[in-house]
Amino acid sequence: MDQNRVYFFDTTLRDGEQTPGVALRTPEKIEIAKGLVRLGIDVIEAGFPAASPGDFEAVQTIAREVKGTTICALARCNEKDVIKAIDALKDAERSRLHVFIAISEIHMQYKLKMTREQVLDKVKAILELAKGKVDEIEFSGEDASRADLDFACQVYGTAIAGGATIINVPDTVGYMMPQEFASKIRYIKEHTPGVEKVIISVHCHDDLGLANANSLAAIEAGARQVECTINGLGERAGNVGIEEVVMSLKTRHDYFHDLQVNIDTKQFTKLSKLVSRLTGVAVPPNKAIVGSNAFAHESGIHQHGMLSNPETYEIMTPESVGAEKTNIVLGKHSGRHAFEDHLKNLGFHQTFTEEKINDLFAKFKDLADKKKQVYDDDIIALVVEHMDHKKAFELVSQHYQLGEKGYAYADVRLNTPDGERADAAVGDGPVDASLKAVERVVGMPISLKDYQIRAITAGKDALGEATLKVEYNGRIFHGRGISTDIVKSSVNAYINAVNSIFLAMELEQQEEE
């Protein structure tokens, strides 16, 4: 045993599958198991063969087909379970039997209805049965974190004497505090006969959100195997996520005295997505390491720092866990530096002056107040909408309300060549009424020839793009408007068409002169 190395035991296919609502088929389990091999997992707990014929088949198939790691099967401390598990593992390249029995007073009294002496006798008998039939035996004292420590040491000592080479100390109900758990691990390490010959393992649940902290505290206290799952799947609040433990050890190698971890961390994101897809359990966006927001930054202060030096707000690189890149999310908290940098990424860096960027940023902030997230298409639309051109008319304000029988009332206020003007109209809906009101303010014989509206970005708060054609003096002019409000986008499209008419008239006048 290498005391400078932390071994990883993955139980996604056993404890992870006990997540309510999750049921994996054998081919899906094989796909995940092969992903775990690529990750570099030391031990894969493939299932609980005695639980069902399907579980037996899955463990047997994985043992036969998945190479490059130790395949483990779980068994209760009874003869039937152990024989089933050993049979399922017979074709494994390297096999491990994981046998367990509860050792806390509450479990022994109310679940097992056994005395301490009966538990010790059962452990001794089962280890005698299993010895020599698999490559390794791991023994777990279920609910060990709430067990009497001296009795726990007695049980573990019996298991070691019977041939167990790994003893697991599970915090079955996620009850421990980190310092408390570390103290228990030290006590077991100091008072268990034969413990120097075995690996101490821990299996932490996350009921109080402390599974990673407890696992790391146990490692500090001398544990050298961590039992975990991908994405933290498992009973109730789940198990510790392997991605969290591994990246804690690697990111803080200075603190953990350079403990060796033989895991290919670049596989984390890919495997996380695979497990999520096959189990149907979504990964929360703010999940550490593998969540979609783990390397996303929206705050303007954070974005400014990230653009200057990523280490200001990222303690690991997205590439180190197989994520594509840092994601600068543009939203209402974003700053001007992030917005300007994103304009350059979109190819607009030679288009705008500093003054124009400031103007666009102000309009972007207005849009971000209306939308939860601003997409690239939103920004492109915003930029195109506000590219420099002479505007004879600009919208100041608009209001509309629906009346009875489908009629609508609308009023608009515009900046015009003759100053600010307002008017109102009634139409067959808010768009019709609003365009008629604009037409009254403009006061020109303009005829609407075509009108279309479409969503150009994703989500319930998507931007609506209105495009239309108007005719003036026998010529067709186009207008385009963008807004989260389709009525406003329609009004802007109409005003832009009118501005095109005025620009054409001005150019014609210049040519005549």
Side-chain angles (χ1 to χ4, degrees):
M1 178 181 66
D2 184 354
Q3 283 294 335
N4 292 320
R5 179 178 172 189
V6 178
Y7 297 85
F8 286 91
F9 173 113
D10 185 272
T11 184
T12 302
L13 301 179
R14 198 277 300 171
D15 203 339
E17 196 190 20
Q18 292 174 203
T19 302
V22 173
L24 294 167
R25 296 174 298 172
T26 298
E28 294 170 333
K29 288 189 174 186
I30 292 172
E31 190 67 32
I32 292 172
K34 289 181 176 178
L36 292 169
V37 172
R38 290 191 292 272
L39 182 65
I41 285 292
D42 299 290
V43 185
I44 297 174
E45 189 168 52
F48 187 0
S52 70
D55 238 31
F56 179 89
E57 181 217 359
V59 175
Q60 187 179 56
T61 306
I62 291 170
R64 185 181 301 126
E65 296 185 15
V66 178
K67 307 302 178 184
T69 189
T70 298
I71 304 300
C72 176
L74 183 70
R76 290 168 295 192
C77 216
N78 66 56
E79 185 175 334
K80 179 183 174 183
D81 276 23
V82 169
I83 291 173
K84 280 265 190 185
I86 291 170
D87 189 25
L89 290 170
K90 64 184 179 182
D91 294 325
E93 188 174 68
R94 183 167 183 80
S95 61
R96 177 182 296 187
L97 172 68
H98 182 192
V99 62
F100 74 96
I101 192 169
I103 62 172
S104 67
E105 292 297 329
I106 188 169
H107 276 245
M108 289 188 293
Q109 180 179 351
Y110 291 101
K111 186 177 75 173
L112 299 181
K113 302 189 186 306
M114 294 172 66
T115 64
R116 291 187 176 188
E117 289 72 24
Q118 288 173 319
V119 168
L120 288 167
D121 288 343
K122 179 65 74 173
V123 172
K124 183 177 180 180
I126 290 300
L127 268 292
E128 286 178 0
L129 171 66
K131 190 173 182 179
K133 294 182 175 67
V134 287
D135 294 311
E136 299 171 348
I137 298 175
E138 175 174 338
F139 173 80
S140 286
E142 185 184 5
D143 204 27
S145 61
R146 294 193 294 174
D148 175 80
L149 277 175
D150 289 326
F151 178 63
C153 292
Q154 191 178 1
V155 175
Y156 287 128
T158 300
I160 294 169
T165 54
I166 304 95
I167 58 169
N168 180 41
V169 185
D171 184 20
T172 303
V173 292
Y175 183 70
M176 288 289 96
M177 295 291 113
Q179 289 182 329
E180 179 186 26
F181 195 46
S183 177
K184 288 179 182 286
I185 298 299
R186 291 190 189 97
Y187 191 93
I188 290 169
K189 187 176 180 181
E190 292 167 3
H191 295 85
T192 300
V195 73
E196 69 281 355
K197 299 181 293 185
V198 304
I199 295 173
I200 297 177
S201 177
V202 290
H203 178 118
C204 296
H205 279 262
D206 206 31
D207 296 71
L208 293 176
L210 293 170
N212 188 32
N214 284 332
S215 298
L216 295 171
I219 289 170
E220 277 195 273
R224 286 297 177 265
Q225 177 179 281
V226 177
E227 304 191 2
C228 42
T229 61
I230 299 297
N231 297 337
L233 290 175
E235 293 270 12
R236 304 181 312 280
N239 294 270
V240 66
I242 180 175
E243 60 278 353
E244 296 180 11
V245 183
V246 170
M247 293 313 295
S248 294
L249 293 174
K250 291 184 75 69
T251 303
R252 293 305 313 275
H253 57 85
D254 58 323
Y255 182 84
F256 288 100
H257 310 296
D258 297 319
L259 284 172
Q260 185 182 357
V261 175
N262 290 355
I263 294 291
D264 181 3
T265 62
K266 292 181 180 179
Q267 299 292 325
F268 276 141
T269 300
K270 186 189 304 181
L271 191 51
S272 168
K273 290 179 179 178
L274 175 68
V275 170
S276 177
R277 186 172 69 250
L278 294 181
T279 61
V281 179
V283 177
N286 62 330
K287 170 75 171 65
I289 316 301
V290 293
S292 60
N293 286 349
F295 298 95
H297 306 268
E298 183 178 333
S299 163
I301 295 172
H302 287 209
Q303 290 175 342
H304 190 189
M306 284 295 300
L307 293 170
S308 300
N309 184 338
E311 291 185 11
T312 53
Y313 287 102
E314 285 185 353
I315 59 173
M316 66 195 90
T317 66
E319 293 81 8
S320 69
V321 297
E324 291 183 3
K325 61 179 180 178
T326 294
N327 185 15
I328 301 295
V329 179
L330 294 182
K332 68 178 183 178
H333 301 297
S334 297
R336 184 192 175 285
H337 289 88
F339 179 74
E340 182 179 1
D341 184 74
H342 206 66
L343 284 182
K344 293 176 182 178
N345 291 338
L346 292 174
F348 291 114
H349 53 288
Q350 294 180 342
T351 306
F352 300 111
T353 63
E354 195 77 9
E355 182 180 357
K356 188 61 179 178
I357 290 174
N358 290 334
D359 179 56
L360 285 171
F361 179 64
K363 290 179 170 60
F364 157 75
K365 294 290 274 189
D366 288 339
L367 178 62
D369 277 333
K370 299 172 185 175
K371 289 176 62 67
K372 291 181 180 179
Q373 184 171 336
V374 180
Y375 299 90
D376 285 354
D377 283 346
D378 294 317
I379 296 172
I380 292 169
L382 180 74
V383 170
V384 172
E385 171 78 0
H386 294 93
M387 281 184 169
D388 286 326
H389 58 274
K390 186 171 183 178
K391 295 183 178 180
F393 295 84
E394 287 188 276
L395 179 65
V396 176
S397 65
Q398 69 167 116
H399 302 91
Y400 60 87
Q401 62 185 47
L402 294 173
E404 296 180 359
K405 299 180 181 180
Y407 291 103
Y409 164 84
D411 62 78
V412 298
R413 182 173 296 274
L414 308 180
N415 280 323
T416 78
D418 299 318
E420 193 170 283
R421 297 286 187 269
D423 214 322
V426 175
D428 293 331
V431 172
D432 184 48
S434 297
L435 296 188
K436 286 179 177 177
V438 174
E439 187 179 354
R440 289 171 64 90
V441 173
V442 172
M444 296 170 61
I446 298 172
S447 175
L448 181 63
K449 293 298 182 183
D450 185 52
Y451 167 80
Q452 295 181 25
I453 188 80
R454 70 184 181 99
I456 61 171
T457 56
K460 292 184 291 186
D461 54 1
L463 280 177
E465 177 190 55
T467 56
L468 51 77
K469 298 177 185 178
V470 298
E471 184 180 1
Y472 177 75
N473 282 349
R475 292 179 58 185
I476 297 295
F477 295 87
H478 297 263
R480 181 174 178 271
I482 304 293
S483 175
T484 53
D485 181 338
I486 62 170
V487 178
K488 186 174 182 179
S489 64
S490 302
V491 169
N492 283 332
Y494 193 88
I495 292 172
N496 286 335
V498 173
N499 284 329
S500 295
I501 295 172
F502 268 72
L503 182 60
M505 292 168 59
E506 184 178 284
L507 291 174
E508 288 173 359
Q509 185 177 357
Q510 290 174 357
E511 289 175 0
E512 291 175 358
E513 293 175 353

